[in-house]
Amino acid sequence: MITAQSVNHHKLSPHMPGKSSVEAKKRRVERGVGDEQLTMQTFLALMLSHIPPGKWLLSLDRTNWKHGESPMNLLVLGVVIHGYTIPLMWDALDSTGTSDTKARMWVVSQLLRAFPACRWRGLVADREFIGAEWFRFLRKKGIKRAVRIKKNTKLDALRGDEWFGNIQHGQYRCMVEKAGVFGEVMQVVATRSPEGDLVLIATDFDVLDTVKLYRMRWSIECTFSSLKSRGFDLERTAMTDPAALERLFGIVVLAWLNCLQIGVFRSQERPIRRLKHGRCAMSLVQYGAQLLIHALRWEQHLLHTLFHQWTQPLLPLRQQKSGVVGY
């Protein structure tokens, strides 16, 4: 999958080892993806082995696309590290629209069994993930929240855009006292995006931490992008069965994480070149995939070192800072 940079079975098959026919290799790929032993608990155990000790920010979002007329809709929860969100739990939704509170609570509850709340720095999420029952659930589980809310959300007696309607881009404000937000007493931090949208964040953090942490929510969009068109072409899959889609997503995430891990390892000795405008020439995932593909094809003596890295937690990233920004 790493060398093919695709989930399409026809493209994967020629990269399988052995002298059997391409058709036979394609059947091997199909059996592998269809293996019911690849459960969510298996994927979670493998993913958690790569998470360093300490407290980490969690991000929650959906990714969706279509195969013909069939909708694909995945709810994903993961840890924010190195400018990406590493997926730890995911759920293929039956509906084509937004997730419901029950699905969100299930995903969080499943992760809490293996990754307790004491290791959560907090949870960031966009405007889709709001509601009284949901906010109350997170508080009872001991999870701090930094969730964007809609501008028409009632904050005590007034709407959010009535409280902060005159705020300008680059400004950050909060309410003098905490307000009632979906039945929860929370602080509300406001700013305005470069596009002019009012950004309201219901939070359990102070103002500076809220701004810093919510910007990191964009990391999950970076992950989705590198799993799809900029990486493994996940949208090319024809799997519409929810269980099969969840297994495929887990396999892709493992391949993606291996590339990220090797990218971080490689950047310790040779940082990614920066272009004139200051951005990196390629992402950490692309940087790792480049070395992995080269080693698999031409320098297999490097594989022992690279395989060793896969058994370790992710290294800290010292040479470069995350460029993740946005709302």
Side-chain angles (χ1 to χ4, degrees):
M1 188 174 286
I2 292 171
T3 54
Q5 293 286 283
S6 176
V7 299
N8 184 274
H9 291 183
H10 293 288
K11 290 189 175 182
L12 280 174
S13 301
H15 293 269
M16 295 289 288
K19 297 182 179 180
S20 54
S21 67
V22 175
E23 291 75 15
K25 290 180 178 181
K26 183 174 180 291
R27 289 192 292 272
R28 285 169 57 192
V29 172
E30 293 170 348
R31 287 196 298 269
V33 175
D35 190 349
E36 295 183 358
Q37 296 180 84
L38 296 175
T39 64
M40 187 64 68
Q41 288 70 30
T42 302
F43 288 122
L44 178 58
L46 290 170
M47 304 303 290
L48 286 177
S49 67
H50 296 278
I51 306 301
K55 300 184 71 169
W56 294 95
L57 183 69
L58 278 288
S59 182
L60 179 68
D61 206 350
R62 280 187 312 112
T63 181
N64 59 286
W65 67 96
K66 279 190 174 183
H67 176 72
E69 296 299 319
S70 301
M72 315 286 198
N73 199 6
L74 283 164
L75 179 65
V76 181
L77 175 64
V79 169
V80 178
I81 299 180
H82 297 329
Y84 291 97
T85 292
I86 299 176
L88 298 180
M89 289 294 302
W90 49 89
D91 184 27
L93 304 176
D94 295 330
S95 60
T96 58
T98 60
S99 63
D100 59 28
T101 301
K102 184 178 180 181
R104 303 169 203 163
M105 291 168 60
W106 181 86
V107 167
V108 171
S109 297
Q110 292 298 306
L111 183 55
L112 284 171
R113 295 180 179 180
F115 197 74
C118 61
R119 295 199 61 191
W120 295 48
R121 185 178 180 187
L123 176 72
V124 291
D126 204 1
R127 286 168 290 187
E128 173 184 331
F129 304 97
I130 56 177
E133 185 180 7
W134 168 240
F135 275 30
R136 184 169 59 252
F137 167 80
L138 293 175
R139 174 178 55 78
K140 288 183 177 181
K141 294 296 182 180
I143 298 170
K144 290 186 175 181
R145 304 152 290 186
V147 180
R148 185 175 175 182
I149 57 177
K150 297 177 181 179
K151 63 182 180 181
N152 62 355
T153 301
K154 279 292 186 70
L155 307 176
D156 289 338
L158 298 176
R159 292 169 25 139
D161 51 4
E162 294 177 304
W163 282 105
F164 301 103
N166 62 346
I167 196 170
Q168 302 298 313
H169 171 57
Q171 295 179 333
Y172 299 95
R173 296 181 191 169
C174 66
M175 304 187 73
V176 176
E177 296 182 356
K178 293 182 178 180
V181 185
F182 295 106
E184 294 290 302
V185 179
M186 301 176 69
Q187 181 57 271
V188 178
V189 175
T191 186
R192 196 170 291 278
S193 73
E195 295 75 25
D197 296 328
L198 181 62
V199 178
L200 301 175
I201 307 167
T203 181
D204 298 307
F205 299 94
D206 61 33
V207 176
L208 293 179
D209 280 345
T210 296
V211 172
K212 177 182 176 182
L213 294 175
Y214 190 75
R215 282 178 175 172
M216 296 168 70
R217 192 205 69 81
W218 191 253
S219 65
I220 198 165
E221 303 292 351
C222 297
T223 296
F224 292 154
S225 177
S226 62
L227 291 173
K228 293 179 178 179
S229 58
R230 294 186 180 180
F232 293 89
D233 213 8
L234 180 61
E235 292 167 305
R236 286 292 304 276
T237 181
M239 291 185 174
T240 57
D241 176 68
L245 181 60
E246 288 176 359
R247 283 194 297 270
L248 176 64
F249 187 78
I251 295 170
V252 174
V253 168
L254 283 176
W256 171 87
L257 179 56
N258 285 335
C259 294
L260 174 61
Q261 191 144 16
I262 299 306
V264 173
F265 166 70
R266 186 184 181 190
S267 70
Q268 304 304 300
E269 295 184 357
R270 181 180 295 180
I272 300 173
R273 180 174 61 89
R274 290 190 176 272
L275 303 176
K276 290 182 179 180
H277 51 55
R279 295 183 180 178
C280 292
M282 64 179 67
S283 69
L284 284 168
V285 175
Q286 292 172 324
Y287 202 47
Q290 185 184 71
L291 179 59
L292 273 171
I293 294 170
H294 177 74
L296 287 165
R297 289 181 178 175
W298 308 111
E299 295 192 54
Q300 295 187 2
H301 65 276
L302 295 175
L303 293 178
H304 177 75
T305 301
L306 300 183
F307 287 152
H308 175 71
Q309 289 301 315
W310 292 341
T311 65
Q312 308 299 315
L314 276 159
L315 294 169
L317 197 60
R318 296 187 295 270
Q319 277 84 357
Q320 56 192 43
K321 297 179 180 179
S322 169
V324 176
V325 294
Y327 295 93

